[in-house]
Amino acid sequence: MQNIFLILSVTLLSVGFWLSNEFKGIAAGVALFLFGMLSLEQGFKAFTGGALERILQKTTNTKLKSLGFGIVATSLMQSSLLMSIITISFLSAGLLDLAAGIGIIFGANLGTSTGAWLIAGFGLKVDIANYALPMLVFGILMIFQSNKKLKGAGYILTGLGFLFLGLDYIKDHFERFKETIDLAEFAMTGTQGLLVFTGVGIAATVIMQSSHATMALLITALAVHQITYENALALAIGSNIGTTITAIIGALGANIDGKRLAGAHLLFNCLTAITALFMLDYFVVVVDIASASLGIAMNDYTLKLAVFHSLFNLAGIVLLFPFISSLVVFLERFIKEQKISIFLPKFLNDSAIEFPETLTESVRLETLHLYDNAVYVILKTFGLHRRDLQDSEQLLHTLMQQENPAEYDIENAYEKRIKGIYSAIIAYISRASFAPEHKPSAKLYWLRDANRHIVEAIKDTKHLQTNWLHFGTSRYRYARNEYQKIAYQIALLIKHIEQFKRNIEADTLPFVSLDTLKAKIEDDDREITRSIETLIRENKITPETGSSLINDSAYMYSIKTNLVKTAETLFLYKPQQLSPEHKLALNETEIKSVVESIHR
Amino acid sequence: MKKTSFLTRLERLFDSEHKKTKHDIKELKSVLRKLKKKERELCEALALTTNPELAKLYRTELEIIRIHRKKGLAELQTIRSEQRKKS
């Protein structure tokens, strides 16, 4: 289908170029304009992965702030598409909620209308080609620099240069085009004109994948009287609907919230367009009043079009902003999440790979998912459930009651619950490392290690399971007690990690709590070794059983240390940088010395 | 103010590394203060408890905090001496 579309476009354009030199000029202008947009987006991407994300995270805690962020950021970047991509990435990584995302998108719609102001107010009234050429020269010079920020600024400057050059080309050739064909002859009035030109606006934006390019074309056409003001209004409405198609395509690789956001975008633009179409006469009056109060001449239709573009987007915000919460409920009901299998990765989607922050957060969330699955498998191996962790005494009681414990198919559980997600995480991290804009960060390495620790804990549990089942009968009374102690200690550690995770916000010194857990692991290990030695000495267990127990207590130690190391990365990990607390955390030797000192 | 001292101050104003060091020192001091407070609370709790298990836990935490504080003070000294060397 794509190939047919491409062949058709090339053929039609070639025929057009052959027939008219002016058409060739306009098409080249649009191409330059679009290339400028791409370059601008590339430039702003160099500034993401830092300030922009931090601002986004801090300024989107209320719907009103999200709206403000959408307006300001899109006005500055002049790209609602980039804003959509960033918002979808943050939503996919769980760093934004849907209501905040919708607020940003509403704001982006108003922010993008500043483009029409720039084109109508600056692009057509000033000889922008004079600015374009130096911008291109300085921009290219900066692109060749090795500094990432300078390179980004270079792309922005080059983008603006191409935008201006494209606009100048369109303007110039439209003026000449008028001498051959007068498009105004095709003007339509009434409802028919509204519908046809809205359709043309949609089609043009879908083809060019940019409402900015459509606006640039129609404003320049309006400036040289190639289209009527009434038809230009319909085209502007159409371009607003057409732009949602790009957002929908962008949301295909996103998670369910990304898809819901695209749904909200479509709803907003369609409802705004329908309102504008039905109330166009009123809008025209309001535009006239607003233009008069802004000092815009009554016959300056290009600026009046910009006023209209801003006003009808503002009307959409006024109409829908109070209902964002209801919109969220509606979208959640309408676009339902498919029941995701516990065995599949939940957070590793393509849209989150765009920015370092969202990428790292997605990997962290997926690692947390893997950790939860691992805890399930470990507890099941010892015949326990998560609910048993609530009460320590009840937990001990449940373990003591187990006579001939049932065998849990840990091999199968590993294949189903662990291996797939683990492999997906590793593949995702590798993919990110290959992307030129993502240097593999230390945080990703820590998370990869955390994943390895989880898998090691499961493998150790598998080794431990053999003797847990073998010595689980009352025939081996003393050995069974020791194995129950081992299972109890592992379950208790999981419970302590859950508590640590829950209280981390309130804990002023979380690294002290974690080091205390590490010391407890060390102490428990000494305790159990002493207990086993006593049992052998008192002939309560055979030396063979004792050696099995010592081996298995080593597995227990390994499971516990691996789980604590994972918790350290997952819950103590800060996205910004290494905090001073990290430097104070105790190493293995220091932990051992603590345990020795309390036994002295 | 002497010209060199003024220039040094001006340089520091724009030196991001200097700002980072200052921030690190502030953070470290705050952590050390929290550790000291926690140590005091644990000492009081240890004196009051009769439960041997709890007493053992408090002793462990106190020992951990002691090492944390020792490492923290050493780190603070290192940062300060590096800062002095640079200026």
Side-chain angles (χ1 to χ4, degrees), chain A residues 117-161:
Chain A
W117 284 89
L118 286 175
I119 297 165
F122 179 69
L124 298 179
K125 300 202 165 58
V126 182
D127 190 6
I128 49 173
N130 278 338
Y131 298 95
L133 298 178
M135 274 179 173
L136 286 174
V137 175
F138 292 129
I140 293 292
L141 198 69
M142 284 159 88
I143 286 174
F144 284 125
Q145 304 306 309
S146 54
N147 183 300
K148 198 184 156 197
K149 302 275 180 229
L150 263 181
K151 211 185 254 285
Y155 274 112
I156 292 173
L157 215 54
T158 315
L160 285 173

mmCIF file of all heavy atoms in Angstrom, chain A residues 117-161:
data_model
loop_
_atom_site.group_PDB
_atom_site.id
_atom_site.type_symbol
_atom_site.label_atom_id
_atom_site.label_comp_id
_atom_site.label_asym_id
_atom_site.label_seq_id
_atom_site.Cartn_x
_atom_site.Cartn_y
_atom_site.Cartn_z
ATOM 1 N N TRP A 117 0.885 32.465 13.667
ATOM 2 C CA TRP A 117 1.209 33.865 13.974
ATOM 3 C C TRP A 117 2.578 34.229 13.407
ATOM 4 O O TRP A 117 2.748 35.302 12.844
ATOM 5 C CB TRP A 117 1.224 34.090 15.488
ATOM 6 C CG TRP A 117 -0.136 34.164 16.090
ATOM 7 C CD1 TRP A 117 -0.880 33.125 16.572
ATOM 8 C CD2 TRP A 117 -0.937 35.327 16.251
ATOM 9 N NE1 TRP A 117 -2.088 33.551 17.031
ATOM 10 C CE2 TRP A 117 -2.155 34.929 16.849
ATOM 11 C CE3 TRP A 117 -0.757 36.676 15.949
ATOM 12 C CZ2 TRP A 117 -3.173 35.806 17.154
ATOM 13 C CZ3 TRP A 117 -1.773 37.561 16.269
ATOM 14 C CH2 TRP A 117 -2.970 37.128 16.851
ATOM 15 N N LEU A 118 3.537 33.325 13.598
ATOM 16 C CA LEU A 118 4.898 33.600 13.120
ATOM 17 C C LEU A 118 4.921 33.715 11.594
ATOM 18 O O LEU A 118 5.559 34.616 11.048
ATOM 19 C CB LEU A 118 5.856 32.487 13.575
ATOM 20 C CG LEU A 118 6.245 32.501 15.047
ATOM 21 C CD1 LEU A 118 7.095 31.282 15.381
ATOM 22 C CD2 LEU A 118 7.020 33.772 15.383
ATOM 23 N N ILE A 119 4.205 32.768 10.936
ATOM 24 C CA ILE A 119 4.215 32.777 9.463
ATOM 25 C C ILE A 119 3.503 34.034 8.949
ATOM 26 O O ILE A 119 4.017 34.752 8.098
ATOM 27 C CB ILE A 119 3.546 31.493 8.900
ATOM 28 C CG1 ILE A 119 4.338 30.249 9.329
ATOM 29 C CG2 ILE A 119 3.454 31.552 7.382
ATOM 30 C CD1 ILE A 119 3.590 28.939 9.149
ATOM 31 N N ALA A 120 2.297 34.298 9.517
ATOM 32 C CA ALA A 120 1.509 35.429 9.027
ATOM 33 C C ALA A 120 2.115 36.772 9.433
ATOM 34 O O ALA A 120 2.108 37.728 8.660
ATOM 35 C CB ALA A 120 0.084 35.319 9.556
ATOM 36 N N GLY A 121 2.637 36.824 10.647
ATOM 37 C CA GLY A 121 3.120 38.102 11.152
ATOM 38 C C GLY A 121 4.543 38.419 10.775
ATOM 39 O O GLY A 121 4.914 39.576 10.575
ATOM 40 N N PHE A 122 5.355 37.393 10.681
ATOM 41 C CA PHE A 122 6.782 37.611 10.429
ATOM 42 C C PHE A 122 7.197 37.106 9.050
ATOM 43 O O PHE A 122 7.799 37.836 8.253
ATOM 44 C CB PHE A 122 7.573 36.914 11.541
ATOM 45 C CG PHE A 122 9.055 37.024 11.420
ATOM 46 C CD1 PHE A 122 9.693 38.243 11.614
ATOM 47 C CD2 PHE A 122 9.824 35.912 11.106
ATOM 48 C CE1 PHE A 122 11.070 38.345 11.500
ATOM 49 C CE2 PHE A 122 11.198 36.008 10.998
ATOM 50 C CZ PHE A 122 11.821 37.226 11.195
ATOM 51 N N GLY A 123 6.794 35.864 8.780
ATOM 52 C CA GLY A 123 7.214 35.202 7.542
ATOM 53 C C GLY A 123 6.807 35.936 6.277
ATOM 54 O O GLY A 123 7.557 35.978 5.301
ATOM 55 N N LEU A 124 5.618 36.528 6.274
ATOM 56 C CA LEU A 124 5.127 37.159 5.051
ATOM 57 C C LEU A 124 5.449 38.649 4.967
ATOM 58 O O LEU A 124 5.446 39.234 3.906
ATOM 59 C CB LEU A 124 3.611 36.958 4.930
ATOM 60 C CG LEU A 124 3.128 35.512 4.817
ATOM 61 C CD1 LEU A 124 1.623 35.450 4.731
ATOM 62 C CD2 LEU A 124 3.740 34.823 3.606
ATOM 63 N N LYS A 125 5.716 39.234 6.125
ATOM 64 C CA LYS A 125 5.889 40.689 6.123
ATOM 65 C C LYS A 125 7.358 41.108 6.074
ATOM 66 O O LYS A 125 7.680 42.253 5.806
ATOM 67 C CB LYS A 125 5.210 41.274 7.361
ATOM 68 C CG LYS A 125 3.712 40.954 7.347
ATOM 69 C CD LYS A 125 2.892 41.859 8.166
ATOM 70 C CE LYS A 125 1.420 41.740 7.846
ATOM 71 N NZ LYS A 125 0.818 40.424 7.991
ATOM 72 N N VAL A 126 8.251 40.178 6.359
ATOM 73 C CA VAL A 126 9.685 40.490 6.365
ATOM 74 C C VAL A 126 10.342 39.630 5.294
ATOM 75 O O VAL A 126 9.877 38.502 5.032
ATOM 76 C CB VAL A 126 10.289 40.152 7.767
ATOM 77 C CG1 VAL A 126 11.758 40.498 7.823
ATOM 78 C CG2 VAL A 126 9.524 40.868 8.861
ATOM 79 N N ASP A 127 11.417 40.115 4.719
ATOM 80 C CA ASP A 127 12.101 39.309 3.711
ATOM 81 C C ASP A 127 12.950 38.266 4.440
ATOM 82 O O ASP A 127 14.141 38.458 4.705
ATOM 83 C CB ASP A 127 12.976 40.223 2.844
ATOM 84 C CG ASP A 127 13.523 39.469 1.640
ATOM 85 O OD1 ASP A 127 13.122 38.295 1.456
ATOM 86 O OD2 ASP A 127 14.343 40.031 0.903
ATOM 87 N N ILE A 128 12.285 37.173 4.764
ATOM 88 C CA ILE A 128 12.940 36.198 5.639
ATOM 89 C C ILE A 128 14.091 35.453 4.973
ATOM 90 O O ILE A 128 14.943 34.895 5.666
ATOM 91 C CB ILE A 128 11.931 35.189 6.239
ATOM 92 C CG1 ILE A 128 11.052 34.613 5.152
ATOM 93 C CG2 ILE A 128 11.139 35.801 7.346
ATOM 94 C CD1 ILE A 128 10.163 33.504 5.637
ATOM 95 N N ALA A 129 14.125 35.448 3.631
ATOM 96 C CA ALA A 129 15.214 34.750 2.943
ATOM 97 C C ALA A 129 16.563 35.374 3.317
ATOM 98 O O ALA A 129 17.589 34.689 3.361
ATOM 99 C CB ALA A 129 15.006 34.803 1.446
ATOM 100 N N ASN A 130 16.539 36.673 3.632
ATOM 101 C CA ASN A 130 17.766 37.360 4.047
ATOM 102 C C ASN A 130 18.316 36.781 5.344
ATOM 103 O O ASN A 130 19.513 36.766 5.579
ATOM 104 C CB ASN A 130 17.491 38.858 4.265
ATOM 105 C CG ASN A 130 17.520 39.598 2.952
ATOM 106 O OD1 ASN A 130 18.117 39.128 1.986
ATOM 107 N ND2 ASN A 130 16.850 40.737 2.912
ATOM 108 N N TYR A 131 17.393 36.328 6.228
ATOM 109 C CA TYR A 131 17.818 35.739 7.499
ATOM 110 C C TYR A 131 18.176 34.275 7.318
ATOM 111 O O TYR A 131 18.994 33.734 8.044
ATOM 112 C CB TYR A 131 16.708 35.850 8.539
ATOM 113 C CG TYR A 131 16.320 37.273 8.884
ATOM 114 C CD1 TYR A 131 15.261 37.907 8.267
ATOM 115 C CD2 TYR A 131 17.049 37.984 9.839
ATOM 116 C CE1 TYR A 131 14.913 39.208 8.575
ATOM 117 C CE2 TYR A 131 16.708 39.291 10.157
ATOM 118 C CZ TYR A 131 15.638 39.904 9.521
ATOM 119 O OH TYR A 131 15.313 41.183 9.830
ATOM 120 N N ALA A 132 17.480 33.632 6.346
ATOM 121 C CA ALA A 132 17.630 32.186 6.188
ATOM 122 C C ALA A 132 19.065 31.785 5.848
ATOM 123 O O ALA A 132 19.613 30.853 6.453
ATOM 124 C CB ALA A 132 16.682 31.688 5.101
ATOM 125 N N LEU A 133 19.681 32.511 4.915
ATOM 126 C CA LEU A 133 20.998 32.074 4.443
ATOM 127 C C LEU A 133 22.073 32.136 5.530
ATOM 128 O O LEU A 133 22.779 31.144 5.750
ATOM 129 C CB LEU A 133 21.389 32.853 3.183
ATOM 130 C CG LEU A 133 20.422 32.613 2.014
ATOM 131 C CD1 LEU A 133 20.811 33.437 0.804
ATOM 132 C CD2 LEU A 133 20.349 31.139 1.644
ATOM 133 N N PRO A 134 22.207 33.264 6.277
ATOM 134 C CA PRO A 134 23.205 33.238 7.367
ATOM 135 C C PRO A 134 22.902 32.170 8.414
ATOM 136 O O PRO A 134 23.809 31.539 8.949
ATOM 137 C CB PRO A 134 23.086 34.637 7.994
ATOM 138 C CG PRO A 134 22.320 35.458 7.043
ATOM 139 C CD PRO A 134 21.538 34.562 6.163
ATOM 140 N N MET A 135 21.593 31.958 8.652
ATOM 141 C CA MET A 135 21.212 30.922 9.637
ATOM 142 C C MET A 135 21.728 29.559 9.200
ATOM 143 O O MET A 135 22.248 28.784 10.008
ATOM 144 C CB MET A 135 19.691 30.850 9.752
ATOM 145 C CG MET A 135 19.112 31.833 10.722
ATOM 146 S SD MET A 135 17.347 31.624 10.716
ATOM 147 C CE MET A 135 16.916 32.688 12.046
ATOM 148 N N LEU A 136 21.577 29.262 7.907
ATOM 149 C CA LEU A 136 22.033 27.966 7.387
ATOM 150 C C LEU A 136 23.547 27.839 7.533
ATOM 151 O O LEU A 136 24.056 26.797 7.975
ATOM 152 C CB LEU A 136 21.642 27.818 5.910
ATOM 153 C CG LEU A 136 20.171 27.549 5.630
ATOM 154 C CD1 LEU A 136 19.899 27.565 4.143
ATOM 155 C CD2 LEU A 136 19.772 26.199 6.200
ATOM 156 N N VAL A 137 24.273 28.914 7.206
ATOM 157 C CA VAL A 137 25.747 28.865 7.275
ATOM 158 C C VAL A 137 26.200 28.642 8.720
ATOM 159 O O VAL A 137 26.962 27.720 9.019
ATOM 160 C CB VAL A 137 26.353 30.173 6.703
ATOM 161 C CG1 VAL A 137 27.868 30.177 6.881
ATOM 162 C CG2 VAL A 137 25.987 30.325 5.235
ATOM 163 N N PHE A 138 25.668 29.465 9.647
ATOM 164 C CA PHE A 138 26.073 29.324 11.051
ATOM 165 C C PHE A 138 25.602 27.990 11.630
ATOM 166 O O PHE A 138 26.296 27.356 12.421
ATOM 167 C CB PHE A 138 25.532 30.483 11.889
ATOM 168 C CG PHE A 138 26.168 31.810 11.552
ATOM 169 C CD1 PHE A 138 25.401 32.929 11.277
ATOM 170 C CD2 PHE A 138 27.557 31.932 11.490
ATOM 171 C CE1 PHE A 138 25.989 34.143 10.956
ATOM 172 C CE2 PHE A 138 28.154 33.147 11.171
ATOM 173 C CZ PHE A 138 27.369 34.249 10.898
ATOM 174 N N GLY A 139 24.394 27.590 11.198
ATOM 175 C CA GLY A 139 23.837 26.324 11.683
ATOM 176 C C GLY A 139 24.716 25.149 11.307
ATOM 177 O O GLY A 139 25.066 24.315 12.154
ATOM 178 N N ILE A 140 25.105 25.093 10.022
ATOM 179 C CA ILE A 140 25.934 23.972 9.559
ATOM 180 C C ILE A 140 27.280 23.985 10.285
ATOM 181 O O ILE A 140 27.792 22.938 10.693
ATOM 182 C CB ILE A 140 26.134 24.048 8.020
ATOM 183 C CG1 ILE A 140 24.805 23.817 7.292
ATOM 184 C CG2 ILE A 140 27.193 23.068 7.530
ATOM 185 C CD1 ILE A 140 24.226 22.422 7.395
ATOM 186 N N LEU A 141 27.825 25.169 10.503
ATOM 187 C CA LEU A 141 29.101 25.306 11.214
ATOM 188 C C LEU A 141 28.987 24.699 12.620
ATOM 189 O O LEU A 141 29.882 23.990 13.087
ATOM 190 C CB LEU A 141 29.445 26.804 11.315
ATOM 191 C CG LEU A 141 30.888 27.150 11.619
ATOM 192 C CD1 LEU A 141 31.769 26.804 10.444
ATOM 193 C CD2 LEU A 141 31.018 28.636 11.938
ATOM 194 N N MET A 142 27.854 24.963 13.242
ATOM 195 C CA MET A 142 27.656 24.443 14.603
ATOM 196 C C MET A 142 27.397 22.937 14.612
ATOM 197 O O MET A 142 27.785 22.240 15.546
ATOM 198 C CB MET A 142 26.493 25.178 15.280
ATOM 199 C CG MET A 142 26.888 26.569 15.742
ATOM 200 S SD MET A 142 25.475 27.617 15.970
ATOM 201 C CE MET A 142 25.061 27.259 17.649
ATOM 202 N N ILE A 143 26.739 22.439 13.553
ATOM 203 C CA ILE A 143 26.472 20.989 13.483
ATOM 204 C C ILE A 143 27.783 20.206 13.460
ATOM 205 O O ILE A 143 27.884 19.110 14.007
ATOM 206 C CB ILE A 143 25.598 20.660 12.239
ATOM 207 C CG1 ILE A 143 24.159 21.107 12.501
ATOM 208 C CG2 ILE A 143 25.625 19.182 11.894
ATOM 209 C CD1 ILE A 143 23.227 20.982 11.322
ATOM 210 N N PHE A 144 28.823 20.794 12.860
ATOM 211 C CA PHE A 144 30.114 20.093 12.771
ATOM 212 C C PHE A 144 30.883 20.078 14.092
ATOM 213 O O PHE A 144 31.932 19.467 14.188
ATOM 214 C CB PHE A 144 30.977 20.706 11.669
ATOM 215 C CG PHE A 144 30.532 20.297 10.291
ATOM 216 C CD1 PHE A 144 30.228 21.238 9.323
ATOM 217 C CD2 PHE A 144 30.387 18.958 9.968
ATOM 218 C CE1 PHE A 144 29.800 20.862 8.061
ATOM 219 C CE2 PHE A 144 29.954 18.570 8.712
ATOM 220 C CZ PHE A 144 29.656 19.521 7.752
ATOM 221 N N GLN A 145 30.379 20.760 15.126
ATOM 222 C CA GLN A 145 31.066 20.763 16.424
ATOM 223 C C GLN A 145 30.789 19.447 17.160
ATOM 224 O O GLN A 145 29.759 18.812 16.939
ATOM 225 C CB GLN A 145 30.596 21.955 17.285
ATOM 226 C CG GLN A 145 30.755 23.310 16.627
ATOM 227 C CD GLN A 145 32.168 23.581 16.150
ATOM 228 O OE1 GLN A 145 33.116 23.431 16.920
ATOM 229 N NE2 GLN A 145 32.308 23.934 14.884
ATOM 230 N N SER A 146 31.717 19.075 18.027
ATOM 231 C CA SER A 146 31.532 17.795 18.736
ATOM 232 C C SER A 146 30.607 17.943 19.950
ATOM 233 O O SER A 146 29.992 16.969 20.385
ATOM 234 C CB SER A 146 32.879 17.235 19.174
ATOM 235 O OG SER A 146 33.554 18.209 19.924
ATOM 236 N N ASN A 147 30.505 19.157 20.500
ATOM 237 C CA ASN A 147 29.650 19.365 21.667
ATOM 238 C C ASN A 147 28.183 19.111 21.300
ATOM 239 O O ASN A 147 27.676 19.662 20.323
ATOM 240 C CB ASN A 147 29.845 20.824 22.139
ATOM 241 C CG ASN A 147 29.055 21.119 23.389
ATOM 242 O OD1 ASN A 147 27.842 21.014 23.406
ATOM 243 N ND2 ASN A 147 29.767 21.497 24.427
ATOM 244 N N LYS A 148 27.526 18.258 22.111
ATOM 245 C CA LYS A 148 26.158 17.831 21.796
ATOM 246 C C LYS A 148 25.173 19.012 21.757
ATOM 247 O O LYS A 148 24.322 19.099 20.879
ATOM 248 C CB LYS A 148 25.718 16.819 22.865
ATOM 249 C CG LYS A 148 24.547 15.973 22.467
ATOM 250 C CD LYS A 148 24.137 15.078 23.620
ATOM 251 C CE LYS A 148 22.683 14.688 23.485
ATOM 252 N NZ LYS A 148 22.094 14.167 24.682
ATOM 253 N N LYS A 149 25.325 19.909 22.724
ATOM 254 C CA LYS A 149 24.396 21.049 22.813
ATOM 255 C C LYS A 149 24.595 22.009 21.622
ATOM 256 O O LYS A 149 23.630 22.521 21.063
ATOM 257 C CB LYS A 149 24.599 21.825 24.123
ATOM 258 C CG LYS A 149 24.427 20.981 25.355
ATOM 259 C CD LYS A 149 22.968 20.892 25.771
ATOM 260 C CE LYS A 149 22.831 20.037 27.000
ATOM 261 N NZ LYS A 149 21.860 19.018 27.005
ATOM 262 N N LEU A 150 25.885 22.228 21.280
ATOM 263 C CA LEU A 150 26.182 23.113 20.144
ATOM 264 C C LEU A 150 25.617 22.524 18.860
ATOM 265 O O LEU A 150 25.044 23.216 18.025
ATOM 266 C CB LEU A 150 27.685 23.275 19.996
ATOM 267 C CG LEU A 150 28.324 24.518 20.628
ATOM 268 C CD1 LEU A 150 29.809 24.531 20.355
ATOM 269 C CD2 LEU A 150 27.688 25.796 20.109
ATOM 270 N N LYS A 151 25.796 21.200 18.745
ATOM 271 C CA LYS A 151 25.277 20.477 17.578
ATOM 272 C C LYS A 151 23.755 20.650 17.502
ATOM 273 O O LYS A 151 23.202 20.935 16.445
ATOM 274 C CB LYS A 151 25.616 18.988 17.748
ATOM 275 C CG LYS A 151 25.835 18.248 16.447
ATOM 276 C CD LYS A 151 26.041 16.794 16.760
ATOM 277 C CE LYS A 151 27.453 16.314 16.622
ATOM 278 N NZ LYS A 151 27.917 16.132 15.269
ATOM 279 N N GLY A 152 23.099 20.502 18.672
ATOM 280 C CA GLY A 152 21.638 20.659 18.741
ATOM 281 C C GLY A 152 21.230 22.060 18.316
ATOM 282 O O GLY A 152 20.288 22.237 17.528
ATOM 283 N N ALA A 153 21.971 23.065 18.837
ATOM 284 C CA ALA A 153 21.654 24.454 18.480
ATOM 285 C C ALA A 153 21.851 24.662 16.977
ATOM 286 O O ALA A 153 21.083 25.383 16.335
ATOM 287 C CB ALA A 153 22.540 25.400 19.277
ATOM 288 N N GLY A 154 22.868 23.978 16.434
ATOM 289 C CA GLY A 154 23.123 24.054 14.997
ATOM 290 C C GLY A 154 21.945 23.519 14.199
ATOM 291 O O GLY A 154 21.514 24.117 13.215
ATOM 292 N N TYR A 155 21.405 22.373 14.651
ATOM 293 C CA TYR A 155 20.242 21.794 13.956
ATOM 294 C C TYR A 155 19.037 22.734 14.035
ATOM 295 O O TYR A 155 18.285 22.868 13.076
ATOM 296 C CB TYR A 155 19.884 20.431 14.570
ATOM 297 C CG TYR A 155 20.666 19.285 13.966
ATOM 298 C CD1 TYR A 155 21.621 18.588 14.704
ATOM 299 C CD2 TYR A 155 20.442 18.889 12.650
ATOM 300 C CE1 TYR A 155 22.349 17.551 14.157
ATOM 301 C CE2 TYR A 155 21.162 17.838 12.090
ATOM 302 C CZ TYR A 155 22.112 17.176 12.848
ATOM 303 O OH TYR A 155 22.820 16.142 12.299
ATOM 304 N N ILE A 156 18.868 23.385 15.196
ATOM 305 C CA ILE A 156 17.727 24.310 15.357
ATOM 306 C C ILE A 156 17.878 25.482 14.381
ATOM 307 O O ILE A 156 16.931 25.850 13.677
ATOM 308 C CB ILE A 156 17.626 24.812 16.813
ATOM 309 C CG1 ILE A 156 17.234 23.652 17.733
ATOM 310 C CG2 ILE A 156 16.611 25.952 16.944
ATOM 311 C CD1 ILE A 156 17.270 23.968 19.209
ATOM 312 N N LEU A 157 19.100 26.026 14.340
ATOM 313 C CA LEU A 157 19.359 27.171 13.462
ATOM 314 C C LEU A 157 19.170 26.767 11.990
ATOM 315 O O LEU A 157 18.542 27.492 11.209
ATOM 316 C CB LEU A 157 20.797 27.647 13.707
ATOM 317 C CG LEU A 157 21.053 29.143 13.617
ATOM 318 C CD1 LEU A 157 20.135 29.909 14.526
ATOM 319 C CD2 LEU A 157 22.510 29.451 13.979
ATOM 320 N N THR A 158 19.711 25.603 11.638
ATOM 321 C CA THR A 158 19.558 25.115 10.262
ATOM 322 C C THR A 158 18.077 24.884 9.955
ATOM 323 O O THR A 158 17.598 25.214 8.863
ATOM 324 C CB THR A 158 20.326 23.787 10.069
ATOM 325 O OG1 THR A 158 21.597 23.928 10.664
ATOM 326 C CG2 THR A 158 20.486 23.419 8.619
ATOM 327 N N GLY A 159 17.357 24.302 10.942
ATOM 328 C CA GLY A 159 15.928 24.054 10.774
ATOM 329 C C GLY A 159 15.186 25.344 10.489
ATOM 330 O O GLY A 159 14.370 25.414 9.556
ATOM 331 N N LEU A 160 15.490 26.381 11.296
ATOM 332 C CA LEU A 160 14.824 27.671 11.093
ATOM 333 C C LEU A 160 15.183 28.241 9.721
ATOM 334 O O LEU A 160 14.326 28.797 9.023
ATOM 335 C CB LEU A 160 15.233 28.654 12.194
ATOM 336 C CG LEU A 160 14.585 28.417 13.566
ATOM 337 C CD1 LEU A 160 15.198 29.332 14.613
ATOM 338 C CD2 LEU A 160 13.080 28.653 13.503
ATOM 339 N N GLY A 161 16.461 28.071 9.342
ATOM 340 C CA GLY A 161 16.917 28.551 8.038
ATOM 341 C C GLY A 161 16.127 27.911 6.914
ATOM 342 O O GLY A 161 15.618 28.588 6.016
#
